[in-house]
Structure formats: structure tokens, C-alpha cells
Amino acid sequence: MHYNPFKPSAGHTPPLLIGRDHDIEDFIEGLDNGPGSPTRLMRVTGARGIGKTVLLSEFARIARERKWEVIRENASKGLAARLLSRLQPAPRGRHEFTVKPTLQVGETAGSLGVYHYQSAEQMPLTLSEAMDRRIHELEKKGAGLLIAIDEAQAAERDDMIAISTAAQDMNINNRDYALVFAGLPSMSSKWLNEDATTFMRRADPHMLQDIPLDEVKRAFEDTFRESGMAISDTPLHMAVEATYGYPFMIQLVGYHIWSSARRNHPDTPTISVEDAKLGIGKALTRLGDTVHGPELDSLSPVDRTYLLAMAQDDGPSSTSMVAERMGKEKNYAGQYRARLLDAQVIEPKGYGLVDFAIPYLREYLREHAAYYRMNAESTD
Ligand SMILES: Nc1ncnc2c1ncn2[C@@H]1O[C@H](COP(=O)(O)OP(=O)(O)OP(=O)(O)O)[C@@H](O)[C@H]1O
Ligand SMILES: [Mg+2]
């Protein structure tokens, strides 16, 4: 008996990682070309559920394959301190860390491998020292260090300063390491305007996009077959079209179709049109609950009003028509358009036109319009 091969949950490696060949090639090229290769410093951005975390996992796997050490962290508050503690070598002959609370700023408990810092200004120095030592050890074994930071949009300024300063020291010392940041698109606008992190500007940008449908088709065919389910052209076509190439939806659709088939006819391992319909319906409900709802909740009331105005169209919306529907000046509406473009909720579709960038968001908004209108009025 096979398990359901699809993985519709955040951070779970999918049965087939599709559509990311170029990003992976760039990463490998960076590792293989040595320190100073442009793709040793990368920034991966994209909408929720596009596959950033899963791509970091793949990078980590590749690095480990080369005997590299990998440190993965989320960028929440205290990032630099956590990195620092993970870079400390385990104290020899001891199983416990001892931190002397009396240590002075900058003083290190060298023999114990414990650093103590007391201020944000101090942090870059100690982080840089710790990185340098750790990488130096790894280099002796012919390996390097990958630091992968997820949810980078949440990083605090001091943490970013500490990390970028340390990274620049590593560059000066020609150390064998790679640094990858992944986060929502807002991370770029947030950090790239900061003087202190101009270093991020040099990070190789990888903006993850939806996956071409022919690749989705091949992946579905292979995954269903390998998990003991046959799928013929019609249900396969329905499944592929329903995903819009959105990675999270690929997993949702695959998962729910597979599971409907298993439940409805456990003894016939063939996906029917009925299974496809049922599965797609379930996948849509899940998508609304886990993506559309939270995404809309994270926007401002006016952002949502803009989207509601767009949802009245069946295809791309004219920006002046949206402003008119909102009862606002074009300039005013334009500010919200810019914010929504930046957040990759909408995308430009030729001169004066925008469209939804998240699949089924239009349909979701129409279904929940009453709720969101009420919400907009009460918070305005
Ligand atoms: N290249 C891919 N091919 C197939 N499925 C993928 C791919 N990338 C991601 N997925 C699937 O999409 C879902 C979301 O992936 P992941 O958690 O990596 O997204 P994310 O961009 O990190 O989202 P978030 O911003 O919410 O953290 C998971 O179910 C994962 O298995
Ligand atoms: Mg993620």
C-alpha cells in the first residue's frame, strides 16, 4: 500500500521539485567556482507557497552532499545571536555550555568556545570572528559553510547589519562560504534601501515564479504512476489546469485527487474524472483557508478595496476603472496599486492594466466580498 506522495504543507519537500533548475544550477555553480563567485550570495524572493523554503532545503542537501556544513535559521528577532551560538564549536571534553555572566564586552571565554556580547555594535565583531574560525576549521577538511536564512522579510535591522558586516569580513578573508536569504518580495524593498545593507544589493536575485504547465503535467504523470495510480488524459488535463502552476496548489490538487481515488474506489487504482473534480474542489477550499484568507488579512483595508474593485472584472482590470470604482483619484489608487504589485498580489498586464497574481484570488474575493466590504467600512 502506497502513501499519498503529495506534500501540501509548508516546507515539505514535494515528490518532484520542478521548475527550479536554473536556480539550482546557479547555486551549484557558485559552490563549484569557489569564494568570490557571484552566486555565493543569493536572495530568493516570491509569494507565499511559491517554494522558497523547499528550495533552501534543496540547496542545503546539495551543500551537504559536498560535505559542507549547513546552518539554517529563520530571520525572527535574535537572528545574529542564534547564528553566533550555532557557530560556537562544542566545548572540548564537556557536554554543557558554560557562560560566565561576568565576562566583559568583547571578552571571550576562548577555551570554552563561548562568546559574550552586550550590544548590537559588538555583535558584528564576534559574529565575524566566530564565522571565520568555524569556516577555517571546515576549510581544513576541504569543505565550506552554507548559511541559509528563511523568512528574511522579518529580519531586524541590527541582525542584518551584524550579518552583512560579518559576511564582508569573510569576503575580505576569501573564506569558503555561501549565504542565501529567502523571503517574501517585501524583503527586497525593505532591505535594499538601507544604507547598512547595501551589501544585499549585490546578492544574486532569484524571483521565484509559477511553474510552466508542461512541467506540472510531467510531474503529475510521474508522481501518480510511481505511487501506483494510473491517470488518463482528461483527469490529468483537469488537474494540471487547476494548479495554474502555483507550487502549493500543485501539491494540494495532487493530494486531494489521489486521496479521493483511494477513498472512493480503493481497489481500482485509476483516477477518474469524478476523482479529479472532487479533488480539485477540496484543493480550492484548502487554498482559500490557508492562502487567500491569511493573505487578505495581512493587507490594509484599502488594499482589499482595491482588490475587490478588480474582482468585478473577469480578466485584467484597467487601473483607471479600478480608481473609478473605488471612488478615488487615479493617484490615490495608484499608491495602492504599487503596494499590491510590490507584494506580488497583483501583476502588470500591459499598459494601464493589472491582474491577480495569486490563482483563484478573484473567485475567493467574489465569494467573500460581503465579508471584506463590511470589514473595509468598519476599519476605514
Ligand atoms: N518546485 C516545486 N515543485 C513542486 N512543488 C513545490 C515546489 N516548491 C514548493 N512546492 C510545494 O509548495 C508548497 C509550498 O512550498 P514552501 O513551503 O517551500 O513555500 P514558501 O515559498 O516557503 O512559502 P511561505 O512564504 O509561506 O513560507 C509545499 O507544499 C511544497 O511541497
Ligand atoms: Mg517558507
Side-chain angles (χ1 to χ4, degrees), residues 193-204:
N193 300 326
E194 274 280 355
D195 283 351
T197 52
T198 41
F199 129 98
M200 277 283 277
R201 222 179 284 245
R202 276 180 266 131
D204 198 48

Side-chain angles (χ1 to χ4, degrees), residues 69-73 83 86-87 134 145-149:
E69 188 166 316
V70 179
I71 295 183
R72 292 182 71 167
E73 277 292 342
L83 281 178
R86 293 189 60 183
L87 285 162
R134 185 54 160 264
L145 174 70
L146 167 66
I147 297 182
I149 295 167

Side-chain angles (χ1 to χ4, degrees), residues 110-176:
S111 62
L112 296 173
V114 173
Y115 294 84
H116 200 73
Y117 61 90
Q118 290 187 341
S119 66
E121 290 72 46
Q122 185 62 30
M123 179 65 93
L125 195 68
T126 44
L127 186 61
S128 170
E129 267 172 25
M131 258 173 96
D132 198 72
R133 285 186 199 182
R134 185 54 160 264
I135 300 169
H136 187 65
E137 288 305 311
L138 289 163
E139 283 172 357
K140 288 187 198 157
K141 298 187 281 178
L145 174 70
L146 167 66
I147 297 182
I149 295 167
D150 206 350
E151 302 285 344
Q153 76 281 348
E156 304 230 326
R157 188 165 178 275
D158 284 347
D159 285 330
M160 288 302 287
I161 293 172
I163 292 162
S164 61
T165 308
Q168 292 187 73
D169 287 346
M170 294 313 101
N171 292 350
I172 292 165
N173 299 347
N174 205 34
R175 284 280 173 251
D176 210 353

